[in-house]
Amino acid sequence: MVLDSLADSTRRDVLDLVRHKPSSVQELADQLPISRPAVSQHLKILKDAGVVTSHPVGTRRIYTVTTDGFEVLRQWLDVMWRDALSSFASFVESEVADSQPNDSGDDS
């Protein structure tokens, strides 16, 4: 779900702004070429994915980045990277074994 939430370039822009400075919906809308309701929709998707959280300050909600969603993504990427490297190592080992001269000791 984290990757899905980051697939949209506007959501990545919203996340980048929140990453630099915790902000309200209005503060974010002032910096983006989209409406306040659109910013709210993007924040909802990011919040559902676990990459942002919010807390009330007076009548506003301030959005901040949370590491929870990124931890899940990091773990997934670690597994994918480990599997890719393991597959590559197996491939290289099999290629090296196949390219070794067959030295069976027979001189016939």
Side-chain angles (χ1 to χ4, degrees), residues 3-46:
L3 285 177
D4 292 336
S5 73
L6 299 176
D8 184 270
S9 64
T10 301
R11 275 195 290 280
R12 290 191 306 270
D13 292 342
V14 169
L15 183 62
D16 198 42
L17 290 170
V18 172
R19 185 175 61 84
H20 286 92
K21 179 183 177 278
S23 303
S24 68
V25 172
Q26 186 61 58
E27 290 170 328
L28 294 167
D30 289 344
Q31 299 175 70
L32 295 165
I34 59 174
S35 68
R36 203 170 161 239
V39 170
S40 292
Q41 290 174 347
H42 287 296
L43 285 168
K44 180 183 181 333
I45 292 167
L46 292 169

Side-chain angles (χ1 to χ4, degrees), residues 2 19 64 80 84 86-87 94 96:
V2 175
R19 185 175 61 84
T64 58
M80 294 295 290
S86 178
S87 293
S94 69
V96 168

